[in-house]
Amino acid sequence: MLEDKNEMIALLTGVESSKKSYYTELKKTVDMLQKKNMQLEIMNEVMKSIKIDMTLEEILNNMVDKLKNIIKFDRLSFFLLQNVSLTLINVFPENTFTIERGIDLPRDRSLYWMALTKRQVMFQQVETPTWNFHELEFLRNLKLTSILVVPIYSKNKEIGVICIGRCFREHWHSDDIAFLEQLADHLAVSIENTQLYNEVLRSKQEWENTFKAVDDMIIIFDKHVNVIQMNDSVRHFLKTHHHKDNLLLEQHYKRLANKTFQTEKARYKEIHFEDQSTFELYTYPVYNNKNIVNGVIAYVKDVTEKRKMEVQLLHSGKLAAIGEMAAGVAHELNSPLTAILGNSQLLLRNVKDDDDSFTLLRDIKTCGIRCKDIIKSLLAFSRQEEYTFQSFHINDAVKQVLNLLEYQLEKNQITVITNLHKDLPMIEGSQQQIEQIIINLLLNAKDAVEAIVKDDKEIEIITLLDNQAVKVSVCDNGIGIEQERLSKIFHPFHTTKEAEKGTGLGLSVSIGIAKTHGGSIDVISEVNKGSTFQLVLPLQPTNKTEASV
C-alpha cells in the first residue's frame, strides 16, 4: 500500500519523468563521447599508418578504409592542386569514375574550386542544389543525393579537395563535418611531408645522375680525408689502369685534399702516368652551414690530348719563326755565294791539277755547292718556291725517283724491292714535290741500312690504296730510331748524321709538303730492326689549286 502511494506521488510530482529524461540525455552523451573517442582513435590510426615514403594513392587507400568505420558514404573523390590545375587523383569505389584520372577541373562555376579558394566546407543537395555548379551533372549521374566538399590546405598553400557523397537521404551531422575538417588538416600535413620527401628524393636522384654522367673523375672526401663517394669515371679509371697508376692517383689526390683542408683553399696539380697520359687534379673545400670546411671535392680531368695540341701549336709557332728566319738568311747568302762559286770555277779553269792552289780552290767550290744545297733546302722549308697542282700517278713518281737513285743504291749493295699497286687512281698534287719526299725517305733509308753491319741490306717500296688515300711506304732493315727520338725527327735541323751527310731539314721539308697536299707521314721504328715511313696522300686534297714548298 505504501509502495503504491509513493509511486502515485512520484507520477503526480514529475520525478519519474525527470529520471527518464536524465537517463536519455546521459545515454546520448555517452554515445557521443564514444563516437568522439572512436573518431580520435581512427584519426590517430590513420596518421600513424601514414609513412613518409608512401605514395599519395597508398595514403588515400589507407584513409578511406578507416573512414568507412565512422562515417557513412557511398563515394569519395580526391582532387590535388598541381601547379595551377585541380586534378582528379583517385575515386573510391573505383567503378564510379565519371571523368578520367588526371583530368583538370575548370575554375569557372566549380564548387570544388570554390571550396579550395575560400577554404570552407561546401555542402550541396544534388537533387535540389542552390546553384548550377559545374560538377552537378556528373554527380547526378552517380545518383548522389548530397555531397560535402572538404578543402585540404596548410598554412601556406592550398593542396586539394575531398568530395564525399551519399546516395541515401541522411542528415550530415555537424560532428561529422568537424571531424572531416580535422582529418583534412592532418591529411594536409601528411601530403606536404610526402611531397617534400619526394622532392628531396627527386633532387637527390637528379644530383646522383648528374654526378654519374660527368666524364671527368669526381671524388668526395669527408673531414678525415676518407673517400665517401666517387663517380663512375673514377671506377673506370681504377679498373682500366695499372695498379701503379691507381696508387699514384690516390697518393696525389689525398695529399692535395689534405692541403685543401689545412689552407681552406683550392689546389691544383698535374699528374703524369706511365702510359704518357696527363691529368689535371683540382681540389676544392666544401663548407657546411656554419662556414666550416667539412669536406673536399677532387676533380680530375684527362688533358692528354689538350697537352699534345698545345705542343703542336708551340711547334708550329717555332716552325713559322724558323721558316721566316731561314728565308731571310737564304736570300742574303745567295748573292755572295753565287760570286764565290762563279769565281772559284773561273780560277779552277786557269789552274793546273798539280798547282798548290788547285786543292784549295776545289775545296772552295765543293763547300760552295754544299752551301747552295743548304740554301735550297732552307728555301724549300720556308715555302718560298711555288708549284702548280696537276693529276699524276704516284707509281710514276716512285719510278722517277728510283731512276735517279738506282746507281747510288746498287753501289752500296742495297737491295730495293718494289711492290707497286697496279690500279692506283691518279691523284692531284705536285709530282715534283712528292718526288722530293720519296727521295728524302729513300736517302734516309739508305743511310739507316748503311749504319748497321749486316749482309742483307734491303729497302722495300710499297704503294697501295686504302680508305680513299694513296699510301707510299718506304721500309728498311736498318739501324732504327729510338722511341724517345721519334717525336723529334720532324723538327728542323734535327739529325744524327754527320755534317757532310745531312742538314736535318729533309723530314721537316717532307712533312711540310705532305701537309700542303692534305696528307701526313707516319713512322714506325724499332732499334736494330728497321723503320717504316708511310706517306699518306688523300685522293681529294683540301687545297688543290696551288701550293708552295
Side-chain angles (χ1 to χ4, degrees), residues 31 71 250 305 323 406:
D31 290 343
I71 294 178
E250 182 181 353
E305 293 302 319
E406 187 176 12

Short mmCIF file of all heavy atoms in Angstrom, two decimals, residues 31 71 250 305 323 406:
data_model
loop_
_atom_site.label_atom_id
_atom_site.label_comp_id
_atom_site.label_asym_id
_atom_site.label_seq_id
_atom_site.Cartn_x
_atom_site.Cartn_y
_atom_site.Cartn_z
N ASP A 31 27.02 8.08 -25.78
CA ASP A 31 27.18 7.68 -27.19
C ASP A 31 28.07 8.65 -27.95
O ASP A 31 28.91 8.27 -28.77
CB ASP A 31 25.80 7.58 -27.87
CG ASP A 31 25.00 6.40 -27.34
OD1 ASP A 31 25.62 5.50 -26.72
OD2 ASP A 31 23.78 6.38 -27.56
N ILE A 71 32.04 7.08 -40.72
CA ILE A 71 31.13 7.94 -41.49
C ILE A 71 30.58 7.14 -42.66
O ILE A 71 31.34 6.49 -43.39
CB ILE A 71 31.86 9.19 -42.01
CG1 ILE A 71 32.28 10.07 -40.83
CG2 ILE A 71 30.98 9.99 -42.96
CD1 ILE A 71 33.05 11.30 -41.24
N GLU A 250 95.89 7.98 -56.20
CA GLU A 250 95.45 8.05 -54.80
C GLU A 250 96.40 8.89 -53.96
O GLU A 250 95.97 9.71 -53.15
CB GLU A 250 95.34 6.64 -54.23
CG GLU A 250 94.85 6.62 -52.78
CD GLU A 250 94.78 5.21 -52.23
OE1 GLU A 250 94.98 4.26 -53.02
OE2 GLU A 250 94.52 5.05 -51.04
N GLU A 305 95.21 14.93 -74.64
CA GLU A 305 95.05 15.47 -75.98
C GLU A 305 95.27 16.98 -76.01
O GLU A 305 95.84 17.53 -76.95
CB GLU A 305 93.66 15.13 -76.53
CG GLU A 305 93.43 13.65 -76.79
CD GLU A 305 94.46 13.10 -77.77
OE1 GLU A 305 94.78 13.79 -78.77
OE2 GLU A 305 94.98 11.99 -77.54
N GLY A 323 111.15 29.24 -90.26
CA GLY A 323 110.96 29.37 -91.71
C GLY A 323 111.19 30.79 -92.18
O GLY A 323 111.86 31.03 -93.20
N GLU A 406 119.02 4.83 -108.43
CA GLU A 406 119.30 3.41 -108.66
C GLU A 406 120.80 3.10 -108.56
O GLU A 406 121.22 2.16 -107.87
CB GLU A 406 118.77 3.00 -110.04
CG GLU A 406 118.85 1.52 -110.30
CD GLU A 406 118.23 1.17 -111.65
OE1 GLU A 406 117.97 2.12 -112.44
OE2 GLU A 406 118.00 -0.01 -111.91
#
